[in-house]
Amino acid sequence: MNIRRLADHLNISIGTVSRALNNRPGVHPETLEKVLKAATELGYVANQSGRSLRRGATNTIGFVIETGHPAHQAGDQFFYVVLDAMNLYLAEQRYDLVVLPCHSADDPVEFLSRVIARGIVDALVMTATRRVDHRIAQLAKSKLPFMTLGRSETPGNYSWIDLDFEGVARRSVQEVVKLGHRRIAVGLPDNDVALGYHYKAGYLKGLAEAGIAVDESLIIRVPTSEVGGFSLGKQVAGMADQPTALLLCSEVTAAGVYAAFGETGVEAGRDISIVAFRENPLMRFLNPAPACFRLDLDALGTRLGETVLDLLSPDEEISRRRGEIVPLSFVPGKSLQPPRAGS
């Protein structure tokens, strides 16, 4: 069943059937109902590839996500919530959202080459940005509009939205310093993901403002996972000159840190204060409750949808490339306490 046969069956012009199927104005309500009912009963399905070729658009947005990463396998809900909100917004604008999973073991540049060549999306949202990201350089040479969730030092005229990792780290240092902490450790990702560099920059800025000298032994890199957090906790607990505060660049590592502290007799809050990155439902069972930062994931997903559609606007002012940093608000927790006497 194609649109011509559907029109012949209903004895209605192809143009009227097309307007009805695409919810265009100028179709009588009774005719609209008649067309949609017949399309359902007769099994009409639009030839999407043909429509895309004629219109030069797919009305589809792609979201590239890195799979195979320990943080995703550990049950982190960040992307599920963000994608749900983004999908809802795009649907209201008559766009579809497709998730394009690229395994961490695959060549990301080759993966994007296939996506670009197939022309299956009108624009891309790319995640897991690196400090130097060859994917950005590749996309900048193509005609495919794109934006990134996360900043990069790779040059190019593109839009991005990033969380305020630097501001969170700086505020975390300020909070522990206010309580009297001077020996402050930090757990960072063990790869070149850009967010780790921004968090470290905020950490160093916070130390400088407090007049605290940098101790490289307190800057520890581990995988972003519960296992990485366990390794981090073991390393911190085993230091001869133990830090009195620990900052976590990712909340995913918090459970592992708590488990390691429990095995080594270190009590979070009393012996070592902890400030995690983002408030996460997975942390609600940790005791004491970790201090962290709150982020509206629904608002972030909606903002991603708005920004990526702006790229497709014919209005140059709307479609111009821009960057945006999303702030997070501090949430106190009992894991943040003054250092013990003599520490």
Side-chain angles (χ1 to χ4, degrees):
M1 175 60 65
N2 58 35
I3 192 169
R4 181 179 295 278
R5 290 177 180 172
L6 181 60
D8 290 343
H9 172 80
L10 293 169
N11 196 26
I12 299 175
S13 71
I14 293 177
T16 300
V17 172
S18 177
R19 288 196 299 274
L21 292 172
N22 290 285
N23 198 26
R24 303 290 187 188
V27 180
H28 192 279
E30 290 184 4
T31 303
L32 175 62
E33 182 180 356
K34 184 179 179 181
V35 170
L36 295 180
K37 181 180 179 181
T40 301
E41 292 175 348
L42 299 175
Y44 169 78
V45 178
N47 185 336
Q48 194 62 45
S49 60
R51 293 172 66 186
S52 298
L53 286 172
R54 289 192 299 274
R55 293 167 51 240
T58 65
N59 275 45
T60 303
I61 302 299
F63 193 98
V64 180
I65 186 171
E66 182 183 83
T67 60
H69 193 279
H72 302 154
Q73 297 172 342
D76 183 20
Q77 302 296 308
F78 178 88
F79 282 114
Y80 292 107
V81 181
V82 169
L83 282 168
D84 187 58
M86 185 178 176
N87 183 53
L88 181 61
Y89 174 80
L90 291 175
E92 292 173 349
Q93 313 305 316
R94 299 187 179 279
Y95 277 81
D96 293 321
L97 177 66
V98 294
V99 178
L100 302 170
C102 177
H103 197 277
S104 55
D106 294 337
D107 182 342
V109 173
E110 181 182 329
F111 174 84
L112 280 181
S113 294
R114 295 197 301 269
V115 172
I116 295 170
R118 289 169 182 167
I120 57 177
V121 296
D122 295 336
L124 275 181
V125 178
M126 196 174 64
T127 65
T129 50
R130 286 353 192 221
R131 191 179 184 185
V132 177
D133 202 313
H134 299 295
R135 299 173 301 170
I136 292 175
Q138 178 193 25
L139 285 166
K141 294 177 182 177
S142 76
K143 294 182 179 180
L144 182 64
F146 75 98
M147 64 170 295
T148 64
L149 178 56
R151 286 164 286 172
S152 171
E153 294 181 7
T154 303
N157 185 24
Y158 59 94
S159 289
W160 54 265
I161 292 177
D162 200 6
L163 308 185
D164 190 10
F165 288 94
E166 182 173 331
V168 165
R170 184 181 177 190
R171 175 68 183 275
S172 297
V173 173
Q174 292 171 348
E175 291 295 330
V176 298
V177 167
K178 281 195 302 187
L179 294 174
H181 294 275
R182 304 290 294 178
R183 189 162 171 77
I184 306 165
V186 61
L188 298 174
D190 64 347
N191 55 22
D192 64 341
V193 66
L195 64 88
Y197 291 92
H198 298 306
Y199 193 94
K200 182 181 178 182
Y203 167 76
L204 296 177
K205 187 173 293 185
L207 293 183
E209 291 171 346
I212 301 174
V214 178
D215 183 342
E216 293 292 338
S217 70
L218 297 180
I219 302 175
I220 306 169
R221 295 188 175 275
V222 295
T224 304
S225 64
E226 286 95 337
V227 174
F230 189 81
S231 172
L232 173 62
K234 284 281 191 177
Q235 292 181 58
V236 169
M239 289 182 177
D241 188 7
Q242 204 174 77
T244 62
L246 172 62
L247 312 184
L248 304 178
C249 181
S250 171
E251 67 281 358
V252 175
T253 58
V257 168
Y258 272 67
F261 281 2
E263 284 193 6
T264 53
V266 173
E267 185 176 326
R270 185 196 66 177
D271 299 319
I272 301 179
S273 286
I274 296 177
V275 183
F277 178 66
R278 181 176 61 88
E279 185 180 44
N280 187 320
L282 297 177
M283 297 195 301
R284 66 184 182 273
F285 300 110
L286 298 179
N287 187 29
C292 55
F293 291 79
R294 182 167 295 152
L295 171 67
D296 188 338
L297 294 181
D298 287 324
L300 176 61
T302 300
R303 189 71 189 113
L304 284 169
E306 293 171 344
T307 304
V308 73
L309 289 191
D310 282 348
L311 302 178
L312 303 177
S313 173
D315 187 323
E316 292 186 4
E317 176 60 26
I318 295 176
S319 64
R320 68 183 178 86
R321 280 31 175 181
R322 66 198 72 187
E324 180 178 340
I325 296 178
V326 179
L328 290 82
S329 55
F330 179 65
V331 180
K334 293 184 178 179
S335 68
L336 186 54
Q337 302 290 335
R340 296 178 66 184
S343 297

